[in-house]
Amino acid sequence: MKKLIIISLLTLLCAESAFSQNNARQNYDSLWYFHPFSVELLAGVWMPSGNFSEFYSPSAQFGGSLGIMVAKNMRFNLWVMPRLISQKEPMPFKVNDSEIHNINNFHGASFGGWLSYTFSRGKRLSAEVITGVTKEDLYTAVEKPDGNDTLNTSATGLSIGLNTWINTFSRLNFGLRAYYTYTAYKKSSYAARSTGGHAMTFAVVYRFPRRSQEFKRWY
């Protein structure tokens, strides 16, 4: 009997939760009608951690993407994100079996594909999980016996994070984004150490065009 009461209470709680979610969807979905094709602009800070933080300080990152709606609540984006790198210490590289140190890492870039899934919508916020596979490039000037040179060190990056859109005036698409990236630079042909690139990125995002009831037909 006791088990039956507990099961009944759990069933009622689940039903109430589902009912509340359905009501929320009915009330709030109309706030979040995005165009199926979009352009996103990003500006924020790239924050290395672990071994990476020994060589690099938090650095400015910006960029943009082209996005397309591939399913209900799901969007695919192609990203290009340049990065202005602030360096702490020289990083070792291996060229022709010799270890050399860079003079400066003056810039880098991240580009690749992202997939986002909207899992929650409310009156104030719409939240997405974002995952991606990117190519992480570091362009570094190195000092060599026969003169200075520039090396392009790149590796595959795997990212996961959260994006929240804020219900702003006139339905402008401003959001806050936070995501973690791991990059296995140890597999780069120029890396002198077994270094994994751990980093967090925090940014403000703007999506164009703004939300509209006209886009309801795609949802």
Side-chain angles (χ1 to χ4, degrees), residues 102-210:
N102 67 316
I103 302 172
N104 186 31
N105 272 111
F106 43 89
H107 66 279
S110 172
F111 52 93
W114 294 72
L115 193 64
S116 64
Y117 176 76
T118 303
F119 65 91
S120 176
R121 287 192 179 110
K123 188 175 182 179
R124 298 297 178 188
L125 294 175
S126 176
E128 303 171 342
V129 172
I130 55 175
T131 58
V133 177
T134 58
K135 184 179 180 183
E136 303 288 321
D137 280 2
L138 293 174
Y139 299 91
T140 180
V142 295
E143 186 175 4
K144 298 172 66 176
D146 55 350
N148 297 340
D149 197 1
T150 300
L151 299 178
N152 177 11
T153 304
S154 63
T156 299
L158 302 175
S159 302
I160 186 168
L162 183 68
N163 193 79
T164 56
W165 298 103
I166 304 169
N167 188 26
T168 57
F169 181 72
S170 297
R171 299 193 180 185
L172 296 177
N173 300 323
F174 284 101
L176 301 176
R177 178 170 297 174
Y179 62 91
Y180 163 81
T181 302
Y182 172 75
T183 309
Y185 283 109
K186 62 185 178 181
K187 295 184 179 180
S188 169
S189 58
Y190 293 121
R193 296 185 187 177
S194 179
T195 302
H198 300 269
M200 288 292 300
T201 298
F202 300 93
V204 176
V205 187
Y206 175 72
R207 177 183 287 174
F208 178 84
R210 68 181 185 179

Side-chain angles (χ1 to χ4, degrees), residues 89-107:
E89 300 288 341
M91 192 170 184
F93 291 90
K94 183 171 63 177
V95 179
N96 296 328
D97 296 327
S98 299
E99 183 173 309
I100 58 177
H101 289 77
N102 67 316
I103 302 172
N104 186 31
N105 272 111
F106 43 89
H107 66 279

Side-chain angles (χ1 to χ4, degrees), residues 25-83:
R25 293 298 296 270
Q26 291 174 6
N27 294 333
Y28 301 144
D29 267 8
S30 60
L31 299 175
W32 305 107
Y33 289 142
F34 295 101
H35 196 279
F37 298 97
S38 63
V39 175
E40 292 184 4
L41 302 176
L42 172 150
V45 59
W46 174 74
M47 303 181 67
S49 62
N51 293 336
F52 233 27
S53 63
E54 297 178 12
F55 304 103
Y56 301 110
S57 300
S59 305
Q61 181 166 284
F62 55 93
S65 72
L66 296 175
I68 181 173
M69 190 176 181
V70 294
K72 187 176 182 179
N73 299 329
M74 190 172 293
R75 187 175 293 268
F76 177 73
N77 291 272
L78 288 175
W79 274 98
V80 177
M81 291 180 285
R83 187 179 298 138

